[in-house]
Amino acid sequence: MNPPTRRLSTSQRNASRLRDGLSSSYKAPLDQLTKPQLLDLRERTAKMLDNTAVVSTLPDKGSRLQEKLAEIDALLKPPFKPGDTDKVTEEVSALSLNSSRRDMRQRSIDENTASANEMHMLLQAGSSANSHVHAKSKMISLSESMLLQEQLVKQENETALRKQMQHIKISPPDANDLR
């Protein structure tokens, strides 16, 4: 025979389930949810807000639900449209880690000039002339840099193609091919 079982209260059953890992009150942060999960959560939150009977019973009258819905909408909205590349490059170009941006640029140019002077002195080791070299440096925007990079890649591809074409040997036509 089985011994008589003791009935557990609801709170005891819930506590037991929590200890066993079967139930929890943990909710993942919104920014860690997938897009389908966000869409589902948005739909459920919007339905709750539309239900005036439920909203009127809430202590905050639905303000937290509205904040949650706004946060979900912000996560679902893409930060930039695909055609906004100019806007993105402008924003990235405007980024600066240092508030004195001009000083940082000037320091970079000065370092470049010092490096050029060192190289010039090494190359002119036997010369007694005390000449200084002024390296030509220019700070450019991100869009200019991207354009220069594209041009460089295009030139490299053209050079590689020319080299490949030089290695192709053209044989004279056979007499049999002319018939």
Side-chain angles (χ1 to χ4, degrees):
M1 289 216 127
N2 290 342
T5 58
R6 186 175 143 230
R7 293 195 62 140
L8 299 174
S9 69
T10 306
S11 62
Q12 289 172 329
R13 276 195 309 272
N14 287 342
S16 173
R17 289 176 60 83
L18 281 171
R19 276 194 306 271
D20 295 338
L22 298 174
S23 175
S24 84
S25 59
Y26 171 76
K27 294 179 184 173
L30 290 177
D31 59 349
Q32 293 180 358
L33 297 177
T34 63
K35 187 172 182 174
Q37 290 172 326
L38 283 172
L39 290 171
D40 181 53
L41 186 59
R42 186 197 186 292
E43 182 181 334
R44 287 186 284 132
T45 306
K47 281 182 183 177
M48 263 196 267
L49 275 172
D50 290 341
N51 189 345
T52 55
V54 171
V55 172
S56 64
T57 61
L58 296 173
D60 63 354
K61 303 299 181 208
S63 65
R64 285 194 304 174
L65 287 174
Q66 290 172 344
E67 290 171 7
K68 186 176 186 178
L69 191 62
E71 188 178 350
I72 293 170
D73 287 339
L75 288 171
L76 288 172
K77 180 185 171 196
F80 294 104
K81 296 176 187 165
D84 287 346
T85 55
D86 291 337
K87 184 177 178 183
V88 172
T89 55
E90 286 175 17
E91 288 189 16
V92 171
S93 293
L95 293 177
S96 175
L97 297 175
N98 190 351
S99 61
S100 57
R101 191 171 180 179
R102 290 198 186 277
D103 293 339
M104 189 168 65
R105 287 182 174 184
Q106 186 60 46
R107 194 172 339 134
S108 174
I109 291 171
D110 292 343
E111 288 172 1
N112 191 9
T113 302
S115 172
N117 280 332
E118 287 176 21
M119 292 299 284
H120 179 70
M121 293 301 194
L122 287 174
L123 292 173
Q124 302 291 327
S127 171
S128 61
N130 191 9
S131 64
H132 289 285
V133 175
H134 292 286
K136 293 184 179 181
S137 299
K138 179 183 176 188
M139 299 302 284
I140 60 174
S141 68
L142 181 62
S143 57
E144 286 178 291
S145 175
M146 290 174 57
L147 182 64
L148 288 172
Q149 182 66 28
E150 289 171 3
Q151 290 174 350
L152 179 64
V153 168
K154 185 178 178 182
Q155 286 175 350
E156 288 173 350
N157 290 340
E158 288 175 356
T159 303
L161 185 60
R162 278 193 206 109
K163 286 181 181 179
Q164 288 176 353
M165 290 177 68
Q166 288 173 351
H167 292 292
I168 296 175
K169 294 182 179 178
I170 302 174
S171 59
D174 268 346
N176 293 336
D177 291 341
L178 297 175
R179 293 183 198 177

